[in-house]
Amino acid sequence: MLELSLHILDIVNNSVKANASLIKVTIDEALEKNILDIVIEDNGCGMDEEFLASVTDPFKTTRTTRKVGMGLSLFKAAAENTGGYLTIDSKKNVGTVVKVRFTYDHIDRQPLGDMSETMVSLMSGNENIDFLYEHKRNDKSFTLDTRKIKEILGEEISLGSPEIVLWLKEYLKEGLNELLV
Amino acid sequence: MKSLAELEAIKNKIKNQVDIRKDSDDDTVRIVVGMATCGIAAGARPVLSALVEEVGKRGLSHVTVAQTGCIGMCRLEPIVEVHAPGKERVTYIKMTEEKAKKVIAEHIVNGNVVTEYTIGEADK
């Protein structure tokens, strides 16, 4: 995909389908180490050992509309193209963790891209799921915990209301811009 | 500067309008955007964004925008389906941000299906 944020959007949808109630997305841009790490962790239904062993195989999928599931294999290829890797660990009824590492300055590394649009799409489209988004860049970091947002909003106002979505988008954009300063 | 305090203010503003927003489910128009790997790779994220923004800007409280998985016609992604009560489902294909805005304006608001963007036209 053109941006890593699109891969993240794709893989987090796996966590959504696994009926996770809490999904953690952690990004670590460690420029001094020349590393970009992305971790997607969920408390969804998980996979048994047999499924986990071949899950990055595109022909291994839980989908019914098609015999292929390309999300993980594409993300893995993207990481490996930069000399990185993708590891996935899972336990049935506990959850799954996907860890992806990229060589930061590798010429074949796609840009991280618009994380605010990815996170807003996920948060507003899955109001019943909580997200903990942590983005570190060198010594700066930005965190957004939807549980905190929902606490402020209370029961009646949904995260999907247009005004909230707009606020979320701007809040994320500004917060992430601060990391670049 | 956006802040959490600002969120409180927005919340209070919306709270007063919540009752007006509670339409019956029978009137709800559901817009569904394909967001599987195929859709995302083809550019569904900005389409979803544009739809949500337009619905919000125009205050279309009877319209919901939802995401779905692979619809099964990957080469035609990004796909947007419009489910209006009592009407036939309309399937828009190869959508873009601009087309999405046009669909909201012409189809959702004015009631005229944008036939040139639909799957029916693609076979011709």
Side-chain angles (χ1 to χ4, degrees), chain A residues 6 17 33 58 74 86 101 103 118 141 160 172-173 176:
Chain A
L6 294 175
K17 284 204 200 89
K33 291 193 249 173
L74 286 174
L86 181 151
R101 170 161 289 189
T103 301
T118 280
S141 86
L172 273 159
K173 262 205 187 113
L176 293 174

Side-chain angles (χ1 to χ4, degrees), chain B residues 58-86:
Chain B
R58 293 162 180 271
L60 305 172
S61 53
H62 64 295
V63 178
T64 59
V65 181
Q67 300 172 37
T68 187
C70 176
I71 293 168
M73 302 176 285
C74 307
R75 66 188 172 88
L76 301 176
E77 290 281 356
I79 295 177
V80 175
E81 292 181 338
V82 177
H83 303 257

Side-chain angles (χ1 to χ4, degrees), chain A residues 1-10 12 25 27 29 36 38 109-123 133 135 142 165-166 168-177 179-180, chain B residues 35 40 44-50 53 97:
Chain A
M1 309 220 190
L2 294 174
E3 298 176 6
L4 294 179
S5 61
L6 294 175
H7 279 297
I8 294 173
L9 176 58
D10 192 24
V12 173
V25 178
I27 298 180
E29 298 186 64
L36 170 63
I38 298 172
R109 177 181 74 81
Q110 298 107 307
L112 190 51
D114 195 341
M115 278 307 297
S116 57
E117 202 176 56
T118 280
M119 293 315 296
V120 171
S121 303
L122 288 168
M123 292 173 178
Y133 173 48
H135 193 144
F142 170 80
V165 171
L166 200 62
L168 252 176
K169 224 184 250 188
E170 296 302 317
Y171 184 72
L172 273 159
K173 262 205 187 113
E174 275 183 20
L176 293 174
N177 274 339
L179 298 178
L180 299 170
Chain B
M35 289 288 263
I40 296 172
R45 192 182 66 183
V47 171
L48 174 74
S49 245
E53 209 181 298
E97 246 184 283

